[in-house]
Each structure stands twice: as structure tokens, then as C-alpha cells.
Amino acid sequence: MALFSFKGATSQLSQQMQQYFVITGNYWAFTLTDGALRMLVVLYFHQLGYSPISIAMLFLFYEIFGVITNLVGGWLGARLGLNKTMNIGLALQIVALGMLAVPAEMLTVVYVMVAQALSGIAKDLNKMSAKSAIKLLVPEGAEGTLYQWIAILTGSKNALKGVGFFLGGLLLTLLEFRGAVILMASLLTLVWLFSLIALKEDLGKAKRKPKFNDIFSKSDAINMLSAARMFLFGARDVWFVVALPVFLAATFNWNHWWVGGFMATWVIAYGMVQSIAPYFTGKKQGKVPTGRAAFLWASYLTLIPIAIASALYFDFYIQIAIIVGLLIFGAVFAINSSLHSYLIVSYAGKDGVSLDVGFYYMANAMGRLIGTVLSGWVYQEYGLEACLWISAGFVALAALLSLKLPK
């Protein structure tokens, strides 16, 4: 009876809304594998004796192709529809996982970089599809609702990514690297087959056929927000991608389970705060955030890596300072990220929304690329303290750029 009731309820939903729910479910499933794969690669290759800079290089193509994919993917989404970009993304992730399910001696740096390139393309096609779709479901002028929906979608995705980090550490312990990627590829194949059947509408397809040069935004607000986003995410990944997990394993002698568990806790808490970010930024007063809010919250964030770096410099309760400090950083960063995610969807045009969203997430991917490369190189040469000082500088630049956003 419950099943029939559920079918009856879903049949009442608009076809467009049903399509969005399928896209969101696909995005969540993909996010689990993406988070788990990232943790698997970092921990497994650290275990094999790879240096921090070598581990960072494994993600180089992942981030470079993320930059390209967001530009081209937004254009493809506007021309073909978000259903097709979603299915292409799922298929590419399955291929990437399959490439890694080979004997250990075949997992050279170049080979893994190519597999990670496919994974990066897949991830950003999925993100662009899900984030763009939400603009089409909220009535014009309902900015409070738009902010709430964006916060919930973004927060739930990051919470699931944190679960993926936890699963990555767990699967590496239980199944080893090859067994873990085979399991993930098998499960994601089932999701992809369901998606091929369920996604039928051309959600997000533009009424006019956009030209390729339309991928470059002409809005000052979107350009400034994109630049701020680049530095914001560079500030996170300069310590988070390579430096932190390697530091935890090498300095505190944490095993895979503990490293994966801590990273998972951080991202899950980060996602939960993102989901409720509207309550910290004026929802009770009926307000939606503006460029001024983006500046203020980035200013608050700047102080946190400075405090953690100072604790490292003075050798002041290092383990407590890092764990507690980075949890606080995650909470404040989550509010910044949620603010930005709302502002880009708000600024974006309704027709061909994926063009503006794709351009913005291109800058996001560029920030991750810069942060990833610096995370490995700076940590190897100068340590975690230097990574945190760079993080503070990047956030300060994001705050200054936010001053140019509409008030």
C-alpha cells in the first residue's frame, strides 16, 4: 500500500519536478563515489610511498579538466539539456573507476592522472546539471525560497561527500584499493542504467541555441563573484586536499580509518552548516544575502587560518588547535560557500542558466586546481603552517573582491 501511495504522490508532481528529483538523486550517488575515490587515492598512494607533491599531481588533470568542463558543459547543457550532460557524467565516472581497477603495477602517475581527468569531467558535468536545474523550479522573485533550496542541495551534497571520505578509508581497509573501485563502479552502473530510463525531459535546454562564445560571462557581478569563488576554494584546498590528510597520517600516526573518519566528519559537518546557512544570514528577518554579506563572512573566515597557523608556530596544543580550528574553519567556510552558491543562481539568467553557472564553477574549479597544486608543493617544502598562511591570504582576496558585488 505504501508503494502505491508513493507512486500516486509522485504522479502528482510536475514532470519537470520529477526530473529534478532524479537529477538530484544521481548527483548524490555520484558524490559518494567521488568523495570515496579522492580519499582512496590520497591514502593508497601515500601508503605506497609517494611524496605529497606526487600525490597532488595525481589530481592535476582532475582539476584542469574541471575548469574546461564547466565552460563547455554549461554550453552543452543549454543546447542539449541537463539530462544528457548528467548521463554523460555518470558514464565517464564508471569508465574512470574501471581504469583504476587494474593491477597495482599499472597504476603509474600518468595513468592515474588520465583516470582522474575523466573523473573530473564527470564530476563537473553532474554538479553543473544539478545546480542549474534548481533555477528553473523557483518562481521569479522568490529569492528566499531560492536561497533555501540552494542551501539544502549544496549542504546535502557535501554531507554525502563527507560520507564518501569515510567510505574511502573504510573500503581501503576492508577491500583494498582494487576491490573498492570495482564495488563503486558496479553500484554506479546501476544508477546510470536507471538514469538512462528515468531522465527523459530536456530540463534546462535553452529556447535559443547559444553560441560558443556565450560561455564567457558578460555580467560584472558574475565575473566578480567568480573571481571571489576562485580564491575562496583555493583557500580551502591549499591545506585540505593533500597537506591535511598527509599531516594527520605522518605527524599524529593516524591510520586510514582515523584519517578518513576525521575528513568525513569535517565535510559532513560542513554540509550540515551549509544546509542551515540561511538562518545565520538573516532568514529570520526575511532577508536574503547581498554582496555585503559575502564580504563580511569572508572577513570572519580570514582570521581562522591565521589563528591555527599561529598555534603551529608557537607549538601550542597542536593536535587540539588543528582539529578544533579546522572544524570552526569548516563551519564559517560553509556559510561563505552557501552564500556564493545562492548569489550565482540569483545573478544567472533564466534562459540558458547553465551558461552562467558553468562559467562560475569554472572559476571554482580553477581555485581547486591552484589549491591542489599548492597543497602538495607548499606542504612538502614548507609544511602545513605555510599552507594555512596562504589560505588566509586567499580568503582576504575573496573578501576584497566581494566589495565589488551588488549591495
Side-chain angles (χ1 to χ4, degrees):
M1 286 295 292
L3 177 61
F4 289 115
S5 299
F6 175 74
K7 287 184 69 176
T10 54
S11 66
Q12 301 300 316
L13 295 171
S14 70
Q15 184 67 26
Q16 192 176 60
M17 185 71 79
Q18 290 181 43
Q19 294 295 290
Y20 175 71
F21 285 154
V22 174
I23 284 177
T24 302
N26 287 349
Y27 187 39
W28 287 346
F30 182 95
T31 297
L32 281 172
T33 66
D34 186 57
L37 181 59
R38 178 168 286 261
M39 189 56 58
L40 278 167
V41 169
V42 170
L43 294 177
Y44 180 66
F45 285 92
H46 173 63
Q47 176 181 294
L48 292 179
Y50 281 60
S51 68
I53 188 63
S54 296
I55 295 172
M57 288 300 102
L58 297 176
F59 295 101
L60 184 63
F61 281 3
Y62 178 96
E63 303 298 356
I64 289 174
F65 281 89
V67 174
I68 299 169
T69 301
N70 277 300
L71 275 176
V72 178
W75 176 72
L76 287 174
R79 290 183 68 90
L80 304 178
L82 300 174
N83 57 328
K84 292 183 177 66
T85 53
M86 174 65 73
N87 286 330
I88 292 169
L90 288 169
L92 287 175
Q93 180 75 339
I94 294 166
V95 173
L97 289 167
M99 286 181 64
L100 295 173
V102 296
E105 57 270 18
M106 293 179 62
L107 294 173
T108 63
V109 171
V110 174
Y111 183 84
V112 176
M113 286 174 72
V114 172
Q116 287 291 88
L118 289 179
S119 184
I121 294 169
K123 191 265 295 200
D124 282 298
L125 283 175
N126 275 263
K127 176 189 281 188
M128 179 275 300
S129 299
K131 292 289 181 73
S132 298
I134 204 166
K135 176 79 172 184
L136 307 172
L137 304 173
V138 177
E140 291 282 355
E143 293 297 310
T145 301
L146 179 64
Y147 185 24
Q148 185 105 32
W149 279 53
I150 287 290
I152 292 171
L153 175 68
T154 305
S156 61
K157 183 270 293 186
N158 282 306
L160 284 171
K161 188 172 184 177
V163 175
F165 284 161
F166 174 79
L167 285 176
L170 178 62
L171 290 175
L172 184 60
T173 302
L174 297 179
L175 302 177
E176 299 187 345
F177 186 81
R178 190 179 184 189
V181 294
I182 290 173
L183 176 63
M184 291 193 296
S186 301
L187 294 176
L188 200 62
T189 299
L190 297 177
V191 174
W192 176 65
L193 292 173
F194 171 76
S195 180
L196 288 175
I197 298 169
L199 283 178
K200 298 175 182 177
E201 294 297 311
D202 290 334
L203 183 63
K205 193 172 183 179
K207 294 176 183 177
R208 66 175 183 86
K209 291 290 184 183
K211 298 177 182 178
F212 188 74
N213 61 5
D214 288 339
I215 63 179
F216 298 102
S217 176
K218 299 176 178 64
S219 161
D220 288 342
I222 290 176
N223 288 337
M224 284 298 169
L225 184 64
S226 298
R229 181 79 171 194
M230 181 181 72
F231 285 111
L232 187 67
F233 272 74
R236 182 196 67 178
D237 285 3
V238 72
W239 57 264
F240 188 77
V241 172
V242 177
L244 181 62
V246 173
F247 181 87
L248 295 175
T251 305
F252 300 153
N253 294 317
W254 288 9
N255 59 27
H256 300 327
W257 178 273
W258 278 99
V259 174
F262 176 76
M263 303 290 280
T265 300
W266 191 93
V267 179
I268 291 169
Y270 163 71
M272 291 173 65
V273 175
Q274 277 188 311
S275 297
I276 59 173
Y279 294 95
F280 293 101
T281 55
K283 179 178 172 58
K284 289 183 179 179
Q285 293 79 34
K287 297 177 182 177
V288 291
T290 64
R292 176 172 172 75
F295 165 74
L296 290 174
W297 281 98
S299 300
Y300 304 151
L301 184 64
T302 306
L303 303 174
I304 301 170
I306 292 175
I308 303 169
S310 299
L312 283 172
Y313 180 78
F314 291 107
D315 197 19
F316 183 77
Y317 296 101
I318 290 177
Q319 190 162 350
I320 294 173
I322 288 175
I323 294 171
V324 176
L326 292 178
L327 288 174
I328 296 171
F329 179 96
V332 181
F333 184 90
I335 296 172
N336 277 272
S337 177
S338 194
L339 279 171
H340 278 224
S341 295
Y342 158 70
L343 288 173
I344 181 54
V345 178
S346 179
Y347 294 163
K350 192 105 176 176
D351 188 40
V353 58
S354 62
L355 286 167
D356 289 335
V357 173
F359 178 83
Y360 169 78
Y361 281 107
M362 175 275 296
N364 185 99
M366 183 65 77
R368 293 199 315 264
L369 170 61
I370 294 168
T372 297
V373 174
L374 288 177
S375 186
W377 176 69
V378 174
Y379 177 74
Q380 181 169 303
E381 296 296 326
Y382 305 104
L384 183 62
E385 182 185 331
C387 293
L388 288 163
W389 281 111
I390 293 173
S391 176
F394 278 6
V395 180
L397 287 171
L400 291 174
L401 287 164
S402 299
L403 286 171
K404 300 287 187 180
L405 297 174
K407 302 298 189 292

